[in-house]
Amino acid sequence: MSEHLEKVVQDFQERFSANSHRYAGETTLILSREHLLEAVQSLRDEYGFDVLIDATAVDYWPEQAPRFHVVYQFYSMTHNLLLRLRVPLDGNAPHIDTIEGIFPNANWKEREIWDMFGITFDGHSDPRRILMPYDWQGHPLRKDYPLGYEEPQFSFNYEEIDRRKPYAKE
Amino acid sequence: MTELRPVTVDELRHLVSERALAGETMLLNMGPQHPSTHGVLRLLLELDGEIVVNCIPDIGFLHTGIEKNMEAKTYQQAEVMTDRIDYMNNMGNNLTYCLAVEKLVGLDVPPRAQALRVILAELQRISSHLLWLGTSSLDLAAMSVFLYCMRERELILDVFEMVSGQRMMTTYIRPGGVWRDVPVEFEAAVRHIVNIMPARIDEYESMLTTNMLFLERTQGIGVISTEDCKRWGLSGPVIRATGLPYDLRKVRPYSGYEQYDFEIPTATTGDVYGRYLVRVEEMRQSVRIIRQALDRLPYGPVRSNNRKFVPPPRSELGVSMEALIHHFKLWTEGFPAPKEYVYVATEGPRGELGVYLEGDGGPKPYRVHYNTPSFANLQAMPILTRNHFIADLVGIIGSVDIVLGDADR
């Protein structure tokens, strides 16, 4: 592990009481959600992690505390280093601050997380669904969401099933 | 189920300017069936006469729930779905997924498989760039380039069919190596492509690079700066066209790219023309890499010898009890991966293609996330198109090389 990354990990452990995790040469810092905005800001401004590569989430249902982890992947062009932040969230309808103000490309990635996992981003400028239709119910990538099946329609129950089918009518 | 309700302008209030609400500018839908949107992309345009004031991309029409489906399959089965994500970069998708699985379980890849992976990934890059060159110049009304590009792309697809049996959905690259060794005709077929390509690329260039009509439609259009590229997470030819030589094959080499001698083409203008120059030069560099990889293609096994993850060869099944057990276990149950997570990225034809893979100790991936370049490229559409004519929009969409399967997954 490079010196710079070592320093970031050490500073974050002191400043934000983050836990670090290493696997296969990759470094992850696990933070609580109160520290997220401050941590991301200092990552960009003080430590030179200038690109947000990816943001996604993982659902650990039926676990409730924490049920979700939001995962951010940062990259530093100057140091050629990758760093991952993970933020655990409790409960079925969790909230987290948006980092859109620091990395504008978080906008769509957070919309995707909202769409797929139902995690609300406080202060997000455009909190709409992005991949699923706008009137969709539920959040597909949650573990308690069924993989999907279609009820077979026969002539005797065609109308009944058609009524509750989630596709655009007309 | 709730009734379908119409979307009102009020819901889009935070996206459009004040002038749209006052009725001074016009809101116009482009797509999802517009021919220049290369698939099913809807752009909601706010127009002042012919000038684009704002462009709001609406994606998701090709969303097929691939990430959800992959969670229900074993690591080997899930790979089949990766072909369908970016349907112009099948080998690249396979490669990224396999690299992630290999990193997660700690699997080795023999040198011959590494070299084959490089050859096929570069062939795929050329084929993707050919399709891009053909269709994006078709959008700018250069009809003949399309036909020439398709002619050469066919040769590459023939090679894919030769090695995997499929022209597009190959699933040839597997965790631990490749599916099986390439047939004897492979080398001659690839050499043929490598030998004719430089002259063919000159041919395309003679039709476009100094063509006045093409220059008028591309120079100074859709300009973006390096800083904006970083802020919006853009990578690949878009960021290289702004002058930053950022290429994952150089900065974080994988599959032995560090052994090959090649350059990263850049342009300085950051416009549609710059992206065109970068991609054309990239094809030449890919040819260079393929030639080197072919020249020193080592002999040896094409799959890892680790039987806990890679099935044994067919010939062993009849004579070795252990091989039979491994074969049975791998194809009925799959192999377990540790409760850990990795992120692996490769340089796709469109930019950084990343896979976030998390295991839970069982034979199925707990979470797979594809971080795709088209998603980031589309997000930057408002920046790229602002204050351009609506006619230039078509060229800009073409120049970032969107693949909607890649954006929607």
Side-chain angles (χ1 to χ4, degrees):
Chain A
M1 196 163 74
S2 87
E3 260 172 52
H4 186 72
L5 203 56
E6 199 101 52
K7 188 170 172 294
V8 177
V9 171
Q10 228 164 49
D11 287 3
F12 269 53
Q13 278 168 342
E14 282 162 26
R15 284 172 62 186
F16 307 113
S17 52
N19 293 317
S20 76
H21 177 81
R22 250 167 253 168
Y23 182 73
E26 294 182 13
T27 309
T28 310
L29 287 168
I30 301 157
L31 286 176
S32 70
R33 77 163 188 231
E34 302 85 70
H35 294 133
L36 176 73
L37 276 184
E38 211 186 322
V40 172
Q41 187 82 51
S42 70
L43 259 190
R44 193 192 69 176
D45 296 342
E46 293 166 37
Y47 301 102
F49 284 84
D50 46 359
V51 184
L52 170 71
I53 292 182
D54 191 18
T56 184
V58 188
D59 183 6
Y60 291 104
W61 182 82
E63 202 97 4
Q64 282 293 317
R67 172 162 178 183
F68 296 100
H69 272 204
V70 180
V71 184
Y72 299 95
Q73 188 80 48
F74 295 98
Y75 178 64
S76 164
M77 286 251 181
T78 29
H79 302 283
N80 190 18
L81 288 174
L82 283 167
L83 179 68
R84 190 182 301 124
L85 288 190
R86 287 175 81 95
V87 183
L89 298 172
D90 298 345
N92 287 330
H95 287 248
I96 187 170
D97 287 319
T98 174
I99 60 162
E100 196 196 339
I102 307 163
F103 290 100
N105 64 328
N107 186 321
W108 274 26
K109 294 186 190 296
E110 289 177 346
R111 274 177 72 188
E112 190 190 333
I113 297 174
W114 153 247
D115 193 356
M116 292 294 150
F117 290 93
I119 297 171
T120 315
F121 287 87
D122 297 325
H124 195 278
S125 67
D126 188 16
R128 293 180 298 148
R129 283 186 182 271
I130 185 165
L131 294 178
M132 303 302 284
Y134 66 92
D135 58 344
W136 194 263
Q137 314 251 314
H139 301 282
L141 277 178
R142 287 189 171 203
K143 290 283 177 182
D144 53 353
Y145 190 96
L147 183 58
Y149 53 88
E150 205 164 342
E151 291 173 280
Q153 280 173 307
F154 298 104
S155 50
F156 75 93
N157 61 3
Y158 189 91
E159 292 289 308
E160 185 197 338
I161 287 172
D162 204 50
R163 233 175 291 132
R164 57 170 183 262
K165 248 188 175 176
Y167 56 67
K169 305 252 160 44
E170 281 159 331
Chain B
M1 212 69 222
T2 49
E3 284 298 303
L4 197 73
R5 57 180 173 78
V7 182
T8 59
V9 184
D10 244 21
E11 284 173 51
L12 301 171
R13 188 179 282 271
H14 58 289
L15 296 172
V16 296
S17 72
E18 284 297 314
R19 293 168 65 207
L21 299 170
E24 285 171 32
T25 53
M26 183 171 84
L27 287 178
L28 181 78
N29 261 317
M30 180 167 165
Q33 279 96 11
H34 194 278
S36 79
T37 54
H38 298 262
V40 274
L41 165 70
R42 172 176 166 237
L43 296 172
L44 184 60
L45 303 174
E46 186 187 339
L47 298 174
D48 180 6
E50 269 195 72
I51 307 281
V52 178
V53 180
N54 201 353
C55 160
I56 306 160
D58 181 10
I59 64 169
F61 292 93
L62 270 183
H63 179 63
T64 44
I66 283 176
E67 289 174 9
K68 180 86 176 168
N69 271 312
M70 283 170 89
E71 289 173 6
K73 302 194 182 310
T74 64
Y75 285 97
Q76 297 110 310
Q77 289 169 335
E79 198 199 330
V80 180
M81 320 226 62
T82 64
D83 288 309
R84 277 94 183 148
I85 292 175
D86 180 350
Y87 43 78
M88 290 333 304
N89 183 27
N90 319 95
M91 289 286 183
N93 291 335
N94 290 167
L95 178 60
T96 323
Y97 176 76
C98 291
L99 288 173
V101 174
E102 283 152 13
K103 194 169 183 182
L104 188 65
V105 300
L107 193 55
D108 62 303
V109 181
R112 185 174 171 85
Q114 300 260 26
L116 285 176
R117 285 175 173 196
V118 168
I119 294 173
L120 291 165
E122 292 307 315
L123 280 177
Q124 182 80 70
R125 188 184 316 278
I126 296 175
S127 110
S128 172
H129 281 355
L130 283 174
L131 190 88
W132 160 80
L133 184 62
T135 52
S136 70
S137 50
L138 193 64
D139 290 342
L140 299 174
M143 179 77 198
S144 42
V145 186
F146 179 74
L147 302 172
Y148 287 98
C149 289
M150 284 292 138
R151 181 185 65 186
E152 270 74 71
R153 183 167 173 267
E154 206 59 25
L155 294 174
I156 295 174
L157 294 185
D158 284 346
V159 171
F160 288 171
E161 191 178 356
M162 187 189 290
V163 297
S164 74
Q166 294 282 327
R167 285 156 56 84
M168 286 179 74
M169 305 304 164
T170 50
T171 325
Y172 178 67
I173 296 168
R174 302 279 172 92
V178 295
W179 173 45
R180 60 180 186 191
D181 209 348
V182 290
V184 279
E185 314 90 63
F186 174 77
E187 192 174 337
V190 178
R191 281 223 188 269
H192 175 63
I193 295 173
V194 171
N195 289 337
I196 62 163
M197 267 324 272
R200 298 284 164 91
I201 297 170
D202 290 342
E203 203 174 314
Y204 316 140
E205 280 216 88
S206 71
M207 281 182 273
L208 293 172
T209 308
T210 51
N211 181 336
M212 272 316 286
L213 289 171
F214 185 72
L215 293 178
E216 294 264 316
R217 300 268 332 245
T218 54
Q219 283 186 326
I221 305 292
V223 181
I224 191 163
S225 66
T226 312
E227 265 323 297
D228 273 345
C229 280
K230 284 188 193 172
R231 290 178 68 232
W232 290 94
L234 302 182
S235 51
V238 182
I239 198 166
R240 289 197 284 276
T242 67
L244 186 76
Y246 173 65
D247 188 316
L248 290 174
R249 291 174 293 174
K250 287 275 190 203
V251 298
R252 299 204 293 276
Y254 51 89
S255 290
Y257 267 108
E258 64 277 6
Q259 308 160 20
Y260 304 107
D261 181 26
F262 64 101
E263 275 144 38
I264 306 172
T266 54
T268 49
T269 47
D271 58 359
V272 175
Y273 188 64
R275 297 196 268 279
Y276 159 78
L277 290 180
V278 166
R279 285 209 176 87
V280 169
E281 188 53 35
E282 259 181 42
M283 287 201 267
R284 291 185 209 279
Q285 296 299 329
S286 292
V287 169
R288 221 174 126 189
I289 297 172
I290 296 171
R291 191 169 276 148
Q292 293 172 42
L294 262 188
D295 285 343
R296 48 175 120 137
L297 185 62
Y299 287 99
V302 293
R303 286 199 288 199
S304 163
N305 216 17
N306 190 338
R307 293 289 150 79
K308 297 295 169 205
F309 301 103
V310 180
R314 187 82 220 169
S315 55
E316 277 183 31
L317 291 189
V319 289
S320 161
M321 188 66 205
E322 233 170 71
L324 194 65
I325 293 171
H326 280 137
H327 183 270
F328 180 75
K329 286 293 269 183
L330 278 172
W331 292 120
T332 53
E333 191 186 303
F335 55 79
K339 197 174 162 60
E340 288 289 352
Y341 34 83
V342 291
Y343 176 84
V344 170
T346 62
E347 184 71 30
R350 272 156 285 283
E352 172 163 354
L353 175 72
V355 171
Y356 171 81
L357 181 67
E358 181 159 344
D360 66 343
K364 291 174 182 174
Y366 191 74
R367 171 95 176 98
V368 194
H369 177 69
Y370 258 80
N371 170 34
T372 54
S374 297
F375 193 76
N377 287 341
L378 274 173
Q379 191 177 8
M381 282 306 283
I383 318 282
L384 291 166
T385 58
R386 190 153 293 154
N387 296 331
H388 281 300
F389 282 114
I390 191 166
D392 291 331
L393 193 67
V394 176
I396 297 170
I397 298 173
S399 79
V400 298
D401 193 11
I402 50 165
V403 169
L404 270 304
D406 192 30
D408 297 346
R409 303 181 294 278

